[in-house]
Amino acid sequence: MILAAASASRVLALGAFCFAVAATPAEPSAASKRPDLLLVTLDTTRADELEVAGGGARTPNLNRLAAAGARFVRALSPAPLTLPAHASLLTGLDPNEHGLRDNGGGALPSAATTIAEELSRAGYVTVAVVGSRVLDRRFGLNRGFDIYDDRMAAERTGEFGYAERPASEVVDAALAAVTAATAVTGVTAATAATAATGTLPERPLFLWVHFYDPHAPYRGAGASERERYRGEIAEVDRQIGRLLADLRPDRQRWVIAVGDHGESFGEHGEQEHGFLLHEPTLAVPLIVQGPGAAAGTVIRAPVSIRDVAATLAGLGGLRRTRLAGRALGLRGEPEPGPIYHETDFPASTFGWSPLAAVTRGRWRFVDGPNPALFDLEPDPGESVNRAGERTEIVRELRRELRSLQSRKAMVPDAAPKDAELARALASLGYLSGASGRRGTIDPAAGLAMLAELAEVNQLVSAGDLAVALARLRDLVRRSPYSVPFLARLAYAEQLAGDFGAARAALVAALSVNSENEFLHTSLGELEREAGRPAAAETAFRNAVRSNPRHAPAWLGLGEILARSGRGGEEEQKLREAVAAQCESGAIHARLAQIALARGDLPAAELDGRRATELLPAWAPAWRLWGEAASRAGNRGAANERFARALSLGG
């Protein structure tokens, strides 16, 4: 990567650059003197929404952090997508280097080193708590963490079907995990001898807490989407305040609060994020605060959030690591260097063209079907394409972009399936995996098709299937590798009763993305409704291979097994789901039902309790749990549980 050399004073601000050699594990006594490190990642948070930046979200706790430390005004993400951006935050590598270029596919390559691995080697206790299954451990970001808490109820899903949990629960889990981790890992073989004398050194902590709340759909207070979005950010800020107050207050610590990517509200025709490479989705908050930080420092030069990993290493006293990137200086302006951006989402999900960009100083060059050059100083809204008049800058930045793109790419580790899944796909007549077809449609033009899809969804909801189907078929004709278009067409065809056409649309979608658990589950539901139980069973098995914590697939598989007289296999599979940490209230409720049917009251009691814990507002779970108490002769508990079910409308 082309990087301008930093001055010695800037390097000394954090100790040193991180060199490409392994760190030596620290002695417990040396590690205990190091500060705690807290990394807070703010999913889908625009830089300009924080109160300290003049934005509309109330963020008093982030304001205080900025007032006591350094705020980077132009922190930029390498990718407007959660998984690729977080992989960069933890490794110092750009997405085209670490290989995770979209949500939901592959796992972090074993060749990539994470900051958690380096800090763990240096004696840190390492804990992560994430707010969405977009960062599920199967994608490999759990490497190096003593505790990686990605537990959340499968039924509490967001826009894209991934389980998520609110900021309050994330903080509860983080504080509990830190207590558990420090209790378990505080005494090691190296420190056991000193424990008896009362001189046990306290190991430093690296805690990563991920807040997903600002991601759509927005549940905050307010009439407009933007107001609700701001309400979500404000709630995250409140929970950050609670975390800072309750997290080992007697320890010195550094805090880095950083966004992974931003959000669009109609700028350049984009809603939400992932399609384009402009300021609303690339510019994110970045605040660094800790002992010795110069209060109120504002750094205006553009920096990449990929440098957070090396920064954490420097703050933790690690002189040498295998991490990529360079430490951010906390005083003075860094020399402008090229910052890489990309989005593969338009290609991998819609079959359109991917985009790549480079930002250097005031200039941003976006490469795609319609290349564009923006001068961000007079035109922060990127409304004027200067490519035609500043050809020399275009040539220079294109050359720089090509150099960044030519860096050695790692191959993502395979998600846990592959060979068996490929055989199953072939047995159903699926096309071989052609995931991520690249098209020539400019994502900016493709956004108009998304507006058409929204209109079609309204037609489907209104029951006007004939018109909806005609328009969906036309969308698929114009964009034949779009998984969302094909999936919606399959749904409409199924509503119209044409199971063959619906099956063909899902098969076409799976030929584009054979790893998508949602597509496999939809196919299983289609085959079940069409009266093809064997095909449904295969589809549901493919779904759980793709994602072992996808509750709808486990439940669908269990239903097929039960209907075919294989009830014992159903329970076995649902227990496998629980063992895979599929936290599903519906699965536990079904297990309670099965236990009641065979008279196993202790098992029914346990599963009924867990179902109500995961889905406290779901009346059927309380009824089942009440039945378990009633059959056990515990009338008081039964009456309380039945009353709760009635109060919930069941």
Side-chain angles (χ1 to χ4, degrees):
M1 179 177 181
I2 302 172
L3 291 172
S7 67
S9 62
R10 294 190 185 100
V11 175
L12 289 173
L14 284 181
F17 281 89
C18 294
F19 297 100
V21 293
T24 302
E27 292 296 324
S29 59
S32 65
K33 299 175 184 177
R34 291 176 173 166
D36 285 354
L37 302 173
L38 171 59
L39 172 63
V40 175
T41 58
L42 312 166
D43 210 297
T44 323
T45 303
R46 292 170 61 123
D48 60 3
E49 282 293 4
L50 267 59
E51 203 171 11
V52 70
R58 284 190 49 76
T59 54
N61 292 295
L62 290 170
N63 296 350
R64 281 191 283 273
L65 282 178
R71 180 168 68 92
F72 292 80
V73 174
R74 294 201 59 212
L76 299 173
S77 174
L81 296 163
T82 297
L83 180 60
H86 276 87
S88 293
L89 279 166
L90 296 179
T91 65
L93 298 164
D94 281 323
N96 66 322
E97 295 174 293
H98 59 60
L100 295 186
R101 310 185 80 165
D102 197 357
N103 293 332
L108 189 71
S110 54
T113 300
T114 71
I115 179 61
E117 290 176 297
E118 292 295 333
L119 289 171
S120 180
R121 285 169 51 82
Y124 272 78
V125 177
T126 54
V127 177
V129 180
V130 301
S132 170
R133 284 276 177 77
V134 177
L135 300 177
D136 189 284
R137 66 185 60 200
R138 67 194 172 105
F139 303 126
L141 300 192
N142 63 321
R143 288 218 313 265
F145 285 102
D146 297 317
I147 292 178
Y148 192 88
D149 187 337
D150 55 359
R151 299 169 300 164
M152 55 203 82
E155 287 77 18
R156 292 170 58 176
T157 58
E159 181 184 26
F160 299 113
Y162 285 106
E164 59 185 64
R165 55 182 164 178
S168 59
E169 293 184 14
V170 168
V171 171
D172 289 344
L175 295 173
V178 167
T179 298
T182 52
V184 170
T185 62
V187 179
T188 65
T191 59
T194 59
T197 66
T199 60
L200 177 68
E202 188 175 25
R203 291 176 62 192
L205 168 72
F206 169 49
L207 172 63
W208 165 34
V209 179
H210 164 248
F211 294 107
Y212 195 66
D213 303 54
H215 201 286
Y218 318 119
R219 299 183 179 88
S224 70
E225 283 199 336
R226 191 70 174 266
E227 288 171 332
R228 292 195 298 275
Y229 171 72
R230 288 168 175 165
E232 296 272 39
I233 295 173
E235 172 59 17
V236 167
D237 184 83
R238 281 190 288 272
Q239 297 304 324
I240 289 173
R242 185 163 71 92
L243 177 67
L244 293 173
D246 295 345
L247 180 66
R248 303 202 337 161
D250 56 327
R251 293 274 306 180
Q252 278 198 335
R253 69 172 171 231
W254 282 91
V255 181
I256 297 183
V258 59
D260 64 340
H261 59 77
E263 188 78 319
S264 280
F265 288 91
E267 296 96 338
H268 303 276
E270 182 180 30
Q271 294 292 338
E272 301 178 22
H273 57 271
F275 294 95
L276 306 179
L277 298 174
H278 293 295
E279 285 289 288
T281 61
L282 295 180
V284 296
L286 175 54
I287 299 168
V288 184
Q289 185 271 331
T297 301
V298 176
I299 298 171
R300 303 186 182 279
V303 297
S304 175
I305 64 170
R306 64 172 279 179
D307 292 332
V308 163
T311 303
L312 285 165
L315 295 173
L318 279 65
R319 297 178 184 174
R320 300 179 178 182
T321 76
R322 296 165 294 178
L323 295 166
R326 59 177 180 178
L328 297 164
L330 301 186
R331 294 178 176 85
E333 299 289 337
E335 298 291 336
I339 298 173
Y340 177 76
H341 321 280
E342 68 166 45
T343 180
D344 208 53
F345 178 65
S348 61
T349 303
F350 290 87
W352 303 340
S353 173
L355 295 177
V358 61
T359 301
R360 179 187 275 280
R362 63 190 286 176
W363 296 101
R364 173 170 298 141
F365 173 65
V366 182
D367 199 17
N370 295 296
L373 176 71
F374 301 104
D375 187 348
L376 299 172
E377 284 191 2
D379 182 26
E382 299 166 282
S383 60
V384 180
N385 184 354
R386 309 288 296 277
E389 61 188 84
R390 302 302 299 268
T391 56
E392 75 288 355
I393 295 177
V394 168
R395 282 195 299 271
E396 178 184 343
L397 292 182
R398 179 179 275 122
R399 189 164 51 246
E400 214 156 44
L401 179 59
R402 295 291 181 265
S403 175
L404 294 172
Q405 290 176 312
S406 69
R407 293 171 297 183
K408 183 177 180 181
M410 298 179 183
V411 178
D413 287 357
K417 44 194 174 302
D418 293 340
E420 190 173 355
L421 176 60
R423 287 194 296 272
L425 286 170
S427 73
L428 285 174
Y430 294 179
L431 301 175
S432 60
S435 181
R437 295 178 188 263
R438 267 50 176 171
T440 59
I441 296 174
D442 188 333
L447 290 173
M449 295 187 198
L450 290 183
E452 292 182 56
L453 182 63
E455 295 173 1
V456 169
N457 287 337
Q458 293 178 347
L459 291 171
V460 172
S461 298
D464 195 349
L465 287 178
V467 176
L469 281 168
R471 294 189 62 178
L472 280 167
R473 289 166 187 154
D474 183 59
L475 279 172
V476 169
R477 178 187 61 78
R478 288 181 280 147
S479 183
Y481 306 121
S482 168
V483 170
F485 295 173
L486 288 164
R488 199 60 179 170
L489 175 60
Y491 175 71
E493 297 282 17
Q494 183 174 350
L495 286 179
D498 192 338
F499 293 106
R503 185 180 299 112
L506 283 174
V507 166
L510 279 161
S511 76
V512 176
N513 187 350
S514 64
E515 298 180 355
N516 190 307
E517 65 268 32
F518 302 102
L519 292 176
H520 286 296
T521 301
S522 294
L523 182 61
E525 292 166 350
L526 170 72
E527 301 289 23
R528 180 182 59 200
E529 187 176 342
R532 291 159 47 95
E537 180 179 341
T538 299
F540 286 132
R541 287 183 183 275
N542 288 334
V544 298
R545 284 193 197 98
S546 183
N547 181 359
R549 292 201 272 184
H550 189 51
W554 286 111
L555 289 164
L557 176 59
E559 182 181 347
I560 291 294
L561 294 171
R563 284 185 180 183
S564 62
R566 297 148 67 190
E569 286 186 58
E570 178 194 14
E571 182 175 9
Q572 176 189 346
K573 287 300 174 186
L574 295 182
R575 291 292 176 200
E576 284 182 26
V578 173
Q581 297 185 2
C582 181
E583 300 278 340
S584 166
I587 286 177
H588 281 284
R590 176 57 183 155
L591 285 168
Q593 194 175 36
I594 292 170
L596 283 171
R598 68 163 184 267
D600 187 346
L601 298 183
E605 173 70 20
L606 289 173
D607 282 306
R609 177 192 297 275
R610 187 60 181 143
T612 60
E613 290 172 346
L614 289 166
L615 296 177
W618 192 40
W622 288 96
R623 284 202 307 273
L624 281 167
W625 198 26
E627 183 65 23
S630 177
R631 294 195 192 182
N634 189 344
R635 293 184 179 179
N639 289 337
E640 288 180 8
R641 296 168 190 177
F642 287 140
R644 181 67 179 271
L646 285 172
S647 72
L648 294 169

